[in-house]
Amino acid sequence: MGLPLDKILHDLNATQQGLTNGEAQRRLKTYGPNVLAREKKLSAPLRFLTYFKNPLVLLLLFAGIVSIFFGDAIEATIVFVIVIISVVLSFYQESKAEQAAELLREKVRTTASVLRESRFVEIPVAEVVPGDIIRLTPGDIVPADSKIIDSKDLFSDQSPLTGESFPVEKTTASDLQISTITERSDCVFMGTSIVSGNATAVVVATGAGTVYGGVAGRLIVREPPTDFDIGLRRFGYLIMQVTFVLVIVVFFVNALYKRSIVESLLFAVALAVGLTPELLPAIVTINLSHGAMVMSKRGVIVKRLSSIQNFGTMDVLCTDKTGTLTEDKIELIQALDAEGADDDNVFVQIYLNSYYETGLRSALDDACLRYRQIDIGSYSKIDEVPFDFTRKRVSVVYNHGGRYVLSTKGAPEEILKICTNYEVHGATQNLTDQVRGGITAKFRDLSSQGYRVLGVCYKQVDPARQVYKVADEARMTFLGLVSFLDPPKTTAKESLALLAQSKISLKILTGDNELVTKKVCEDLGLVVNRVVIGSDLVNIDDSALLKIVEDTSIFARVTPAQKERIMLLLKKNGHVVGFMGDGINDAPCIRAADVGISVENAVDVAKESADIILLQKDLTVLQQGVLEGRKTFSNTMKYVMMGTSSNFGNMFSAAGASLFLSFLPMLPEQILLNNLLYDVSEVTIPVDNVDPESVLTPRKWDMSFIKDFMIFFGPISSVFDYLTFAMMLFVFNAGPALFQTAWFLESLSTQALVVFVIRTRRPFYKSRPSKPLLISTLGVVAFALAIPFTPIGALFQFVIPPPTFLLALVAFIVAYLALVESLKGRFYRWVDRKHSQSPKRSLIALRGRPDLFSQSFTRSGWLRNKLEEPLASS
């Protein structure tokens, strides 16, 4: 890219009028899509084969092959068929879920403004090709490595490439002496973003051919695991350890003392399959995909599926007030001089500044231009000093009748710092401390009434110059104050109440002043515990700020760096932190948050950084998404609890019985069939209903709870298994076939039906399961009971049980479910006491304590109805 622009255009066979659609399509086929290197997606057949890499599946296949070798082809065929059915079930469910998630991500793809057929159009970034002419504005992510054709006050954030935190100025001038390509001032690079200014550029390289693509090609960055991912991994290790010990002991005892090696191996492997929740990955994927689809119907688009879990566990939300607490429909109210009187000259100066500003535009600029139009035919722009978050002001230089004027607007306190004079009724006077104090008092009075205020100043400058800098913003004349009103949202009060009821603490992080912010919060009924301003944070170290961030409701006049610092300290305190933003300056915080949230009309860099996109900037929509995240977590935990209670108890019983019986309590193929039918009954858990109280508080993965649940409920299942063994041996005098048939029916019936008890903390009859779960569970139990009466039964060596056993089976099922139900309440009371007495109780306990704000709303019935609405509708 060190060549002159004309040479580059010639080599690319491009012009400044852009490409035709036909030529662009041809180049897309030649160069390929403009995407970075990613982990390669396997084709459907190859992805299907990867399911056979599971160690347990491989062991089963090996055991089946050994069975064939020893002449037992029927048993081997049964094993192979069950393995294939299990793999197909997992593959189909996960593929369907991933396709649904990909369709959602397509809704929020980033686009680029490209010159095609002599006009600028928005196209997907993946379709940008070398030779395209692109237009860049503040907030855009640069879609490809490009050579600048023309620019104005262009600054680029190159931190993704260089790590440099300060924006870099970009111009058309090239410096061929620079050795590092990223230091070139006449080029912009893929993955960087535009901070201010605008430009047009010609695309030189796309995809893997870019500087960023070269880095990505060498190192494909995996998404960091969420708290839920880590919890799943720990659960997997727990089950693996228990399974390994149990299976090894069972195999060696049976092989050495009782049975053949092949039979012992098949039984041990079948036990391992029965003990392992192999459907858990599919259940999690289906759960997340279903949650994402439901959330999309409520205006929440999930870009990263795993973030749904963090969304549900989020207990602190950091956000600005504009657009979340207010309508984001800002109107200019009045323009006042230094003495507080209306002054049209103040409005003229702020209008000209807003009109000519090309950098980081805000809603305040739009309000100035909407308020009244001014004939600017006699004015012309000379230069601009862009806004930045340190100065908190922006300046433009214009020419009016040969008179060059530097016009500046910004935060009143920053404007006063650069002024030495003030002007009233056309007369300029020295800006004394008394006058300065009066202006400050007026500004604070307006702010306390909820008005946003900008200061305006100007000075005449040397017409011989064409370029102006920040240093020119000195010794200026203060003109006046301009007030704006952004009224509170009509729905904000209800939204805040719902967030509080959901135990989500709201922290306002804003660049606006503390008086305006506090006024808006008080108008909405939000209790403001403490207000801290950005200048106070400079002299506070992190150890002290760790305590301050917990007690503070509003952080005002903070810079983007201070916002990120506050959020990281909240995370350090153990919170799951969400950050909601839509501006250029919000991108670092969105990336650093546990849950990065943006909105559909946000700048590209904010949307690309986010995990979740709201189609409306509304806290009510966000709160409904949080509830869906908690619902997803709750349904995942149901499967985990099922696997660690009745299912685990049954397999444990089988292992124990094999050590004292003269025959196997259940044949290997029967165990595999039991496990397959059980998985089929559980596959509808992701669409199960969730009790409203289950989503009232954030819930985190708790291995201690899972271990307690397994230890408490697993033995209950084993007790009924051994009672069944005793009944079959001493009452029915059962032989091996009848014993195995009876225990197959008892174990599958109890472990499937107990889901109706385990799925809720309420009495089971007060919590309605979803129809799919009801149908799948009862259908599987009915199918299992019918198997001995069909040809399939003979294939699996089942026999028809006597009618008296079926009556006893019903009694056993009723007794088992009744016992689990009666002990369930005692277990949860014990867990609650354990949590309340623990000195290291988590900040996010299973039963959170409402703060002062939420207490004022929880007594009202309408809130409970509002909270349950989204759950009922799903």
Side-chain angles (χ1 to χ4, degrees):
M1 282 192 282
L3 299 173
L5 177 61
D6 291 344
K7 174 64 174 170
I8 290 176
L9 290 171
H10 179 268
D11 290 347
L12 290 170
N13 193 22
T15 69
Q16 294 192 35
Q17 285 70 50
L19 302 175
T20 63
N21 289 329
E23 176 62 17
Q25 288 299 316
R26 188 187 67 77
R27 295 190 184 200
L28 188 60
K29 291 179 182 178
T30 302
Y31 296 103
N34 178 35
V35 294
L36 294 176
R38 295 176 182 171
E39 290 182 280
K40 291 184 178 178
K41 282 193 174 183
L42 299 176
S43 62
L46 288 177
R47 280 193 298 114
F48 178 76
L49 292 176
T50 60
Y51 284 79
F52 290 92
K53 289 167 59 178
N54 184 303
L56 290 176
V57 172
L58 291 175
L59 270 175
L60 280 174
L61 294 176
F62 172 73
I65 293 170
V66 171
S67 295
I68 293 174
F69 181 78
F70 282 94
D72 198 345
I74 294 177
E75 185 171 279
T77 302
I78 292 171
V79 170
F80 292 151
V81 169
I82 290 177
V83 167
I84 290 172
I85 291 174
S86 297
V87 168
V88 168
L89 178 66
S90 295
F91 172 74
Y92 171 74
Q93 292 289 355
E94 289 200 51
S95 297
K96 184 179 175 183
E98 287 169 2
Q99 287 171 8
E102 186 61 29
L103 286 174
L104 290 179
R105 283 192 285 269
E106 288 291 339
K107 292 185 177 182
V108 288
R109 293 289 188 208
T110 305
T111 60
S113 182
V114 176
L115 190 62
R116 296 275 177 88
E117 305 283 356
S118 300
R119 65 188 183 91
F120 279 103
V121 293
E122 294 290 324
I123 66 168
V125 168
E127 296 178 12
V128 172
V129 297
D132 263 329
I133 305 299
I134 58 173
R135 179 169 59 191
L136 301 171
T137 56
D140 287 347
I141 292 178
V142 178
D145 288 0
S146 308
K147 166 80 172 179
I148 296 173
I149 297 173
D150 62 71
S151 67
K152 180 61 180 173
D153 302 315
L154 187 69
F155 284 81
S156 171
D157 175 8
Q158 294 193 162
S159 58
L161 279 179
T162 65
E164 175 59 53
S165 59
F166 293 102
V168 178
E169 186 171 12
K170 298 291 183 177
T171 66
T172 55
S174 59
D175 185 351
L176 302 182
Q177 303 303 314
I178 291 177
S179 58
T180 305
I181 189 170
T182 53
E183 294 180 1
R184 294 186 60 87
S185 62
D186 61 336
C187 301
V188 287
F189 304 97
M190 182 183 199
T192 63
S193 58
I194 304 304
V195 176
S196 62
N198 51 58
T200 56
V202 59
V203 173
V204 176
T206 59
T210 63
V211 175
Y212 196 61
V215 175
R218 292 192 296 272
L219 178 64
I220 298 172
V221 180
R222 292 181 179 271
E223 292 178 340
T226 65
D227 180 73
F228 188 82
D229 295 331
I230 295 169
L232 276 179
R233 196 176 302 145
R234 289 175 180 168
F235 172 69
Y237 291 152
L238 171 67
I239 294 298
M240 185 174 64
Q241 290 166 359
V242 174
T243 301
F244 180 78
V245 172
L246 190 63
V247 168
I248 292 296
V249 170
V250 168
F251 171 70
F252 278 106
V253 170
N254 277 282
L256 292 175
Y257 299 106
K258 311 192 77 171
R259 299 176 182 87
S260 70
I261 291 179
V262 175
E263 188 180 36
S264 299
L265 176 64
L266 266 175
F267 181 71
V269 173
L271 269 183
V273 172
L275 284 166
T276 306
E278 73 281 357
L279 202 63
L280 183 58
I283 288 288
V284 170
T285 303
I286 297 165
N287 241 327
L288 296 176
S289 175
H290 174 73
M293 294 300 292
V294 173
M295 289 165 71
S296 72
K297 294 174 183 176
R298 295 177 181 152
V300 180
I301 303 298
V302 179
K303 287 177 58 185
R304 180 185 172 202
L305 275 185
S306 59
S307 66
I308 293 177
Q309 305 290 3
N310 274 354
F311 204 32
T313 57
M314 179 178 73
D315 67 318
V316 174
L317 174 64
C318 299
T319 182
D320 196 352
K321 66 176 179 58
T322 304
T324 51
L325 302 184
T326 63
E327 292 287 356
D328 202 12
K329 296 177 181 176
I330 299 174
E331 298 294 336
L332 190 153
I333 303 302
Q334 55 188 167
L336 307 173
D337 64 17
E339 294 179 348
D342 290 334
D343 190 335
D344 196 55
N345 189 36
V346 177
F347 172 72
V348 170
Q349 286 298 333
I350 200 169
Y351 182 94
L352 290 168
N353 185 292
S354 297
Y355 183 87
Y356 286 125
E357 182 185 357
T358 59
L360 194 62
R361 298 187 67 84
S362 72
L364 298 177
D365 294 307
D366 296 334
C368 292
L369 300 179
R370 279 198 312 269
Y371 184 72
R372 191 177 82 234
Q373 286 192 341
I374 294 176
D375 182 6
I376 59 168
S378 58
Y379 296 85
S380 60
K381 181 180 177 181
I382 304 301
D383 197 18
E384 179 175 346
V385 184
F387 177 89
D388 66 58
F389 292 97
T390 302
R391 292 164 36 248
K392 297 182 181 178
R393 56 182 182 261
V394 57
S395 296
V396 298
V397 179
Y398 62 84
N399 176 11
H400 183 226
R403 181 171 170 256
Y404 279 39
V405 176
L406 176 69
S407 176
T408 305
K409 73 170 185 290
E413 64 272 20
E414 298 299 327
I415 292 296
L416 284 171
K417 286 179 183 178
I418 58 174
C419 292
T420 55
N421 301 306
Y422 74 100
E423 180 180 303
V424 175
H425 306 308
T428 302
Q429 302 177 51
N430 183 42
L431 185 60
T432 64
D433 289 342
Q434 182 179 358
V435 175
R436 193 182 296 270
I439 294 170
T440 301
K442 182 62 178 177
F443 155 58
R444 294 184 66 84
D445 178 57
L446 289 169
S447 297
S448 65
Q449 296 177 51
Y451 293 105
R452 299 178 66 177
V453 184
L454 291 179
V456 182
C457 63
Y458 80 103
K459 76 173 181 181
Q460 195 165 338
V461 293
D462 183 2
R465 295 170 55 191
Q466 295 297 312
V467 178
Y468 297 84
K469 300 183 181 299
V470 173
D472 293 307
E473 296 175 339
R475 303 187 64 79
M476 301 188 71
T477 300
F478 183 84
L479 265 184
L481 301 170
V482 180
S483 62
F484 303 83
L485 185 62
D486 187 10
K489 269 190 176 177
T490 54
T491 60
K493 192 167 187 176
E494 178 183 337
S495 301
L496 290 172
L498 291 171
L499 284 176
Q501 178 70 9
S502 302
K503 307 300 182 294
I504 298 174
S505 175
L506 189 67
K507 306 282 185 185
I508 306 298
L509 278 55
T510 179
D512 211 340
N513 78 70
E514 65 279 12
L515 297 175
V516 176
T517 309
K518 187 175 181 181
K519 170 66 174 173
V520 170
C521 291
E522 289 173 348
D523 285 349
L524 293 172
L526 178 61
V527 175
V528 178
N529 298 322
R530 185 175 183 179
V531 179
V532 174
I533 60 175
S535 58
D536 294 337
L537 298 178
V538 177
N539 300 316
I540 301 176
D541 61 25
D542 283 356
S543 59
L545 195 54
L546 279 170
K547 170 64 173 152
I548 292 172
V549 295
E550 289 293 325
D551 304 331
T552 303
S553 305
I554 296 172
F555 294 89
R557 289 192 274 179
V558 288
T559 65
Q562 288 173 330
K563 289 182 182 181
E564 187 172 6
R565 182 188 176 200
I566 292 163
M567 193 185 63
L568 292 175
L569 289 173
L570 284 166
K571 289 175 66 175
K572 193 172 181 179
N573 278 344
H575 294 288
V576 178
V577 183
F579 185 91
M580 181 170 159
D582 57 5
I584 299 168
N585 59 312
D586 293 324
C589 291
I590 293 173
R591 279 193 291 265
D594 292 305
V595 188
I597 308 163
S598 193
V599 291
E600 188 178 32
N601 61 351
V603 297
D604 288 346
V605 68
K607 287 196 290 186
E608 280 296 299
S609 303
D611 301 308
I612 289 170
I613 306 290
L614 304 183
L615 299 184
Q616 315 171 46
K617 196 172 184 181
D618 191 319
L619 292 178
T620 303
V621 172
L622 184 143
Q623 186 264 353
Q624 290 175 353
V626 168
L627 294 186
E628 196 58 44
R630 293 179 185 176
K631 181 180 177 183
T632 301
F633 179 91
S634 188
N635 278 339
T636 303
M637 287 302 298
K638 289 176 187 176
Y639 180 80
V640 170
M641 290 189 293
M642 287 289 292
T644 55
S645 56
S646 61
N647 182 51
F648 185 84
N650 285 340
M651 294 303 105
F652 191 82
S653 300
S658 72
L659 302 180
F660 67 80
L661 288 174
S662 60
F663 52 88
L664 290 176
M666 203 184 293
L667 297 176
E669 59 267 32
Q670 293 170 347
I671 292 177
L672 294 176
L673 178 62
N674 180 300
N675 187 65
L676 175 64
L677 292 176
Y678 170 75
D679 283 346
V680 170
S681 73
E682 301 302 292
V683 82
T684 52
I685 280 181
V687 295
D688 187 28
N689 298 328
V690 174
D691 298 332
E693 62 269 20
S694 297
V695 296
L696 281 177
T697 58
R699 292 176 61 188
K700 296 183 75 173
W701 191 275
D702 188 346
M703 281 304 299
S704 174
F705 171 80
I706 293 170
K707 289 177 183 177
D708 291 341
F709 196 91
M710 181 169 65
I711 293 169
F712 191 91
F713 288 102
I716 299 175
S717 176
S718 293
V719 166
F720 277 83
D721 290 334
Y722 283 106
L723 287 174
T724 302
F725 298 162
M727 179 179 69
M728 298 312 297
L729 291 173
F730 302 116
V731 177
F732 289 95
N733 297 314
L738 178 58
F739 185 98
Q740 291 157 355
T741 302
W743 189 51
F744 173 87
L745 296 176
E746 185 270 341
S747 65
L748 183 60
S749 298
T750 53
Q751 73 182 31
L753 292 172
V754 79
V755 70
F756 299 123
V757 177
I758 286 176
R759 58 175 291 278
T760 177
R761 288 184 62 158
R762 296 178 177 182
F764 76 92
Y765 51 85
K766 291 186 177 180
S767 177
R768 187 180 62 186
S770 67
K771 285 184 180 178
L773 181 63
L774 199 64
I775 292 169
S776 67
T777 303
L778 296 180
V780 162
V781 172
F783 179 77
L785 292 172
I787 286 177
F789 301 91
T790 67
I792 298 176
L795 190 64
F796 283 89
Q797 301 183 45
F798 291 131
V799 296
I800 298 175
T804 49
F805 165 75
L806 296 177
L807 291 174
L809 175 62
V810 172
F812 268 54
I813 292 172
V814 172
Y816 172 65
L817 297 182
L819 182 61
V820 173
E821 176 64 43
S822 65
L823 294 177
K824 179 177 68 175
R826 183 174 298 178
F827 170 76
Y828 280 114
R829 285 192 295 273
W830 173 75
V831 168
D832 290 342
R833 284 197 303 272
K834 181 180 175 182
H835 273 275
S836 63
Q837 293 168 3
S838 172
K840 295 183 179 179
R841 187 182 182 189
S842 171
L843 286 167
I844 309 170
L846 290 177
R847 299 179 73 183
R849 183 180 67 85
D851 58 22
L852 294 174
F853 173 59
S854 65
Q855 287 177 6
S856 64
F857 287 95
T858 51
R859 300 183 182 90
S860 50
W862 68 267
L863 180 60
R864 191 174 300 105
N865 295 334
K866 287 288 182 183
L867 189 64
E868 295 186 9
E869 277 175 10
L871 297 175
S873 63
S874 65

